[in-house]
Amino acid sequence: MEDFGKALETVEKWIVEYWENNDHYPVLAKVKPGDISGVLPRKPPFHPEPFDAVMSDFQNVILPGVTHWNHPKFYAYFSITGSPPGILGEMLSAALNINGMLWKTCPASTELEEVVLDWLRQMIGIQAPLFGIIMDTASIGTFCAIAAARESLDLRIREEGMAGRADLPRLRVYCSEHAHSSDDKATIALGFGLQGLRKISVDAQFRMRPDALDEAIREDIENGWRPVCVVATVGTTSTTSIDPVPEILEVCRKHKVWLHVDAAYAGSAAVLPEKQWILKGCENADSFLLNPHKWLFTPFDCTAFYTRHPEILQRAFSLVPEYLRTSEDISHDFMNYGLQLGRRFRALKLWMVIRLYGIEGLQEALRRHIELAQEFAGWIRESPDFELMAPHPFSTICFRAKPEGVSENRLNSLNEDLMNSVNQTGEMYISHTKLHGKITLRLAIGNMKTRRPHVARAWELLRNHLAPLTFRGVRVEPGN
Ligand code: PLP
């Protein structure tokens, strides 16, 4: 390309302007399927094109099809932040373009990853040193944890596989009914099948019941199953409920089953001393993870995975072909702890986030998010037209509209219409879940730039858009 420096200046300027003013964009892309691909050329260019033409298409064709996750009024799923320090880390990582598969192929990448994950461990109040590694996503982290749990049973699956083996019992993993679907995917991919995942019932606060877990494992053993792993969740996807890890740990110890804790969203909250209780028991779990890309202001993707048994994880995945053999200690070769060979320099962005905000800056943002969410919950509680649907220990609120006089069987469609109606404004974006068969709206606060006026506006929009959907308690069907 002709002038890298000039192009970089343009991109830099664009990024700064975007960070400062992205709340002017509609949060949810207002396009139909095919709108973007339909205007892109079907054939790649043979001759190089000028940078200005590409940048112009980025602005005019690509941007209209972007849903702005980095927007202060993005409240859907789990709200996230690609913060300025994280963006700088990503830019440097792209420029270096290293591959940290072996210590030797980029010593700084491996060693920074070790140090930064040890910082993060201290920040979330885990006392004892642990082996830590950055993975791309929580889904992959959980997959690796279950693979390690399976390897720990010495069933010779690494050598002989699972198919057609009369000597192999059926294997089972356990998680709550509210655990993330990545647990289901991991059991599919690891060959246990969906029947190899048993969902444990939850209590009134959507937390896994340790007594039900104990009973399920006992019953399974009696029926010839071999329990492999329990996945507890700290901060479930729908309601952010917190499974009782210490009690679950006791059940796991009793039955000698690997405990993996998925704290993908909520783990970051433990950077606050007053929230560190949520990870109680994790230091003795066999593995656990949290996603700095969810609620620690680090650009996607970045999952911090910890285990007390790196040697078992290594046994599950290590395979060193001749061309990757070195004279160094392979325990620092991170390709040996997961499926992927090549590894990006993800530690750089996390390092920059921690250094440029400091623990203090991160705590300020986390506390602000929790306070804003609690204030929003207070507005819901006081309103005659809305109700809270679950406890809200973090920055995610589950609620629904329930105007007086609207019957229960019409509330699901009313809430779906309300969600679609506010999302269509482009001013905010919320998502939903279902609790006890009831459509429940979720407002998740997690963007670094979200302030009180943004949340107040979300509340105003919800109330304003509810009014035309109901009239004197009678549900008005769309189009009437
Ligand atoms: N675990 C929990 C509790 C989640 O909420 C999510 C996603 O929201 C995941 C795992 C999957 O995260 P990832 O996209 O990092 O795989």
Side-chain angles (χ1 to χ4, degrees):
M1 72 176 280
E2 72 276 34
D3 189 342
F4 178 42
K6 196 159 148 267
L8 188 61
E9 263 175 40
T10 307
V11 170
E12 256 176 43
K13 232 172 110 197
W14 188 90
I15 292 175
V16 173
E17 158 72 18
Y18 180 73
W19 173 256
E20 284 167 3
N21 296 308
N22 64 8
D23 50 349
H24 299 324
Y25 290 94
V27 197
L28 183 61
K30 289 186 169 180
V31 289
K32 295 185 297 306
D35 276 1
I36 310 300
S37 55
V39 293
L40 292 169
R42 292 282 130 201
K43 297 234 155 100
F46 185 74
H47 296 294
E49 295 193 62
F51 172 75
D52 289 347
V54 179
M55 198 60 196
S56 156
D57 283 350
F58 170 74
Q59 303 249 34
N60 301 320
V61 180
I62 305 299
L63 266 184
V66 169
T67 289
H68 293 275
W69 284 70
N70 221 8
H71 192 294
K73 286 192 269 181
F74 184 104
Y75 304 118
Y77 311 106
F78 283 125
S79 167
I80 57 176
T81 313
S83 64
I87 294 169
L88 294 174
E90 282 288 44
M91 288 170 79
L92 292 174
S93 162
L96 293 172
N97 198 32
I98 62 93
N99 181 341
M101 55 191 179
L102 302 170
W103 175 86
K104 191 177 185 163
T105 58
C106 187
S109 168
T110 304
E111 294 191 16
L112 186 65
E113 192 161 323
E114 289 170 341
V115 169
V116 168
L117 283 205
D118 196 56
W119 284 6
L120 183 60
R121 172 193 63 77
Q122 297 170 52
M123 287 162 63
I124 56 176
I126 301 288
Q127 300 303 327
L130 284 174
F131 171 84
I133 184 168
I134 297 182
M135 300 199 179
D136 54 0
T137 57
S139 304
I140 294 300
T142 293
F143 170 89
C144 290
I146 299 174
R150 185 177 72 174
E151 182 59 29
S152 74
L153 299 179
D154 290 325
L155 295 170
R156 296 193 52 78
I157 290 173
R158 187 184 156 114
E159 295 75 21
E160 296 174 30
M162 292 170 67
R165 284 183 55 185
D167 64 319
L168 200 64
R170 294 201 67 189
L171 306 178
R172 239 185 190 162
V173 174
Y174 304 80
C175 66
S176 95
E177 294 163 337
H178 276 254
H180 190 257
S181 51
S182 51
D183 301 346
D184 306 56
K185 276 200 186 176
T187 55
I188 297 169
L190 286 162
F192 301 180
L194 284 174
Q195 286 175 6
L197 181 66
R198 184 159 174 180
K199 305 254 169 123
I200 306 300
S201 56
V202 294
D203 65 14
Q205 295 189 34
F206 308 104
R207 301 173 299 196
M208 189 199 285
R209 284 179 40 212
D211 60 323
L213 173 69
D214 189 27
E215 177 56 24
I217 294 180
R218 206 191 45 71
E219 184 184 87
D220 279 356
I221 293 170
E222 257 176 44
N223 291 323
W225 291 87
R226 181 80 190 259
V228 178
C229 181
V230 173
V231 182
T233 312
V234 171
T236 54
T237 313
S238 280
T239 72
T240 72
S241 61
I242 305 162
D243 287 344
V245 175
E247 288 86 338
I248 292 172
L249 182 65
E250 268 179 42
V251 176
C252 290
R253 290 289 166 266
K254 178 171 141 192
H255 296 288
K256 298 194 172 47
V257 181
W258 184 291
L259 173 62
H260 172 64
V261 181
D262 172 359
Y265 157 71
S268 299
V271 170
L272 297 172
E274 66 270 26
K275 288 285 181 199
Q276 285 182 352
W277 63 268
I278 63 171
L279 295 183
K280 195 157 176 270
C282 284
E283 67 283 4
N284 293 318
D286 297 287
S287 55
F288 77 96
L289 61 79
L290 64 147
N291 276 359
H293 75 230
K294 276 195 165 49
W295 199 14
L296 210 60
F297 318 110
T298 305
F300 189 74
D301 48 8
C302 184
T303 292
F305 178 98
Y306 294 93
T307 179
R308 294 192 296 120
H309 314 290
E311 69 298 343
I312 300 178
L313 188 60
Q314 207 182 99
R315 239 165 55 207
F317 288 109
S318 175
L319 195 77
V320 187
E322 184 52 41
Y323 84 103
L324 293 173
R325 214 167 279 287
T326 66
S327 51
E328 277 84 27
D329 168 9
I330 71 157
S331 69
H332 297 281
D333 292 342
F334 279 180
M335 69 165 191
N336 289 318
Y337 297 96
L339 270 187
Q340 67 180 97
L341 168 64
R343 311 187 76 251
R344 303 202 308 118
F345 202 162
R346 292 195 184 88
L348 208 46
K349 59 186 169 186
L350 184 55
W351 185 56
M352 302 218 24
V353 165
I354 296 173
R355 290 192 65 184
L356 294 173
Y357 285 123
I359 296 174
E360 183 182 59
L362 298 171
Q363 289 178 340
E364 183 278 322
L366 291 165
R367 266 195 202 109
R368 172 162 43 84
H369 289 165
I370 295 171
E371 279 165 19
L372 286 173
Q374 300 310 313
E375 189 171 9
F376 179 83
W379 298 333
I380 298 279
R381 200 177 294 113
E382 282 157 26
S383 166
D385 293 330
F386 287 85
E387 68 174 352
L388 288 168
M389 299 295 283
H392 37 84
F394 302 110
S395 66
T396 300
I397 307 298
C398 288
F399 65 100
R400 69 171 180 166
K402 191 171 182 275
E404 207 183 314
V406 178
S407 64
E408 183 61 48
N409 60 10
R410 306 184 84 169
L411 285 177
N412 276 359
S413 59
L414 172 72
N415 277 282
E416 267 175 315
D417 291 344
L418 177 59
M419 176 175 73
N420 293 334
S421 177
V422 293
N423 286 347
Q424 269 161 18
T425 64
E427 271 207 67
M428 66 185 279
Y429 183 21
I430 54 171
S431 58
H432 79 284
T433 186
K434 218 175 214 182
L435 299 176
H436 303 302
K438 297 170 183 171
I439 292 283
T440 297
L441 308 182
R442 285 171 78 268
L443 180 129
I445 298 172
N447 188 268
M448 191 58 126
K449 294 203 311 174
T450 304
R451 293 288 185 281
R452 193 174 184 278
H454 299 118
V455 183
R457 177 67 182 145
W459 178 226
E460 183 177 40
L461 282 170
L462 282 161
R463 281 175 302 151
N464 289 351
H465 283 251
L466 178 62
L469 295 173
T470 59
F471 180 66
R472 282 201 215 100
V474 177
R475 175 81 214 286
V476 180
E477 298 302 335
N480 287 0

